[in-house]
Amino acid sequence: MKQRLLFLGPPGAGKGTQAQRLAASHGLLHLSTGDLLRAEVQAGSDLGHQVEAVMASGELVSDDLVLAIVRSRLEHHNQGWLLDGFPRNLAQAEALDRLLAELDQRIERVVLLELDDGLLIQRLLSRGRSDDNEQVIRHRLEVYRQQTAPLIAHYRDLALLVSVDAAGSVEEIGERIKAVLLD
Ligand code: ADP
């Protein structure tokens, strides 16, 4: 199975859930920038204070900051990994390409989880995280469309992209993902 992976897709598509399952079953390092940032907020660190309001609004935190977080985790990790929630715009994708070249590593596959807006909003509203109220959700979807969705073409051009239908049960989607990582 491919060992160096990106999960891409709108908020609510189930990236976190699927990434966690796959990483656990295949011994990959799961790097979720959202989880790492939330942990900083919870811990009340300086960084947490810096990002709290930005996250609550649904905007993206600064590229330099998330890149520093990713760098510190990948630098000393030579085995498989799964990035979830990063990169989120073209500048981050280009910074990641440079970082990986420096570390002599490369992305092996990008999994795009696809789901329509109605289902996304429904899932996010039922999750009830503090940034999951309807107004912020709509804004996060807008940020996704404007800033993150261009990465789909970027990774398609690099022949790394595979799409997976993200409607269905957690198990079903998990099986679809495993199937596209095999060859
Ligand atoms: P979701 O997939 O539901 O949008 P995440 O946990 O991935 O949730 O992200 C939650 C919030 O954390 C984002 O709205 C954003 O403010 C911040 N964030 C996470 N990853 C990044 C990133 N790579 N760049 C900038 N901001 C990020």
Side-chain angles (χ1 to χ4, degrees):
M1 198 192 77
K2 301 290 186 230
Q3 300 284 315
R4 293 192 168 122
L5 311 172
L6 296 191
F7 273 19
L8 196 62
K15 298 184 298 292
T17 304
Q18 294 297 338
Q20 207 167 6
R21 284 169 53 101
L22 189 72
S25 62
H26 288 77
L28 309 175
L29 171 71
H30 176 205
L31 264 185
S32 158
T33 45
D35 286 351
L36 293 169
L37 291 167
R38 274 186 291 279
E40 296 288 339
V41 172
Q42 281 265 287
S45 67
D46 279 354
L47 187 96
H49 289 301
Q50 279 181 53
V51 300
E52 192 168 9
V54 179
M55 290 179 75
S57 74
E59 286 292 317
L60 300 184
V61 310
S62 87
D63 293 344
D64 289 350
L65 205 147
V66 284
L67 188 73
I69 293 180
V70 173
R71 171 183 279 277
S72 72
R73 308 279 161 149
L74 285 188
E75 224 159 26
H76 305 292
H77 187 86
N78 282 312
Q79 277 118 31
W81 40 252
L82 201 174
L83 300 184
D84 148 25
F86 176 90
R88 240 183 171 82
N89 59 31
L90 274 175
Q92 291 183 8
E94 285 162 7
L96 177 63
D97 287 344
R98 288 193 294 273
L99 172 65
L100 292 177
E102 193 187 303
L103 300 178
D104 201 18
Q105 300 191 27
R106 67 188 66 239
I107 300 165
E108 292 174 338
R109 197 142 293 176
V110 178
V111 178
L112 172 65
L113 292 178
E114 294 187 297
L115 195 66
D116 56 60
D117 280 11
L119 281 174
L120 291 175
I121 292 174
Q122 221 174 304
R123 280 192 191 172
L124 290 165
L125 282 174
S126 65
R127 186 165 73 175
R129 211 170 66 194
S130 64
D131 58 346
D132 281 343
N133 69 66
E134 187 152 359
Q135 199 186 347
V136 175
I137 289 171
R138 289 195 187 281
H139 187 58
R140 287 191 1 241
L141 285 173
E142 195 52 40
V143 170
Y144 172 78
R145 253 179 235 114
Q146 287 183 2
Q147 303 195 42
T148 311
L151 297 183
I152 296 170
H154 176 76
Y155 289 117
R156 187 177 286 134
D157 290 348
L158 294 171
L160 290 173
L161 194 83
V162 286
S163 299
V164 167
D165 175 7
S169 70
V170 170
E171 288 74 22
E172 281 165 353
I173 301 160
E175 290 306 314
R176 287 177 204 146
I177 292 173
K178 273 193 250 168
V180 298
L181 295 177
L182 282 180
D183 58 316

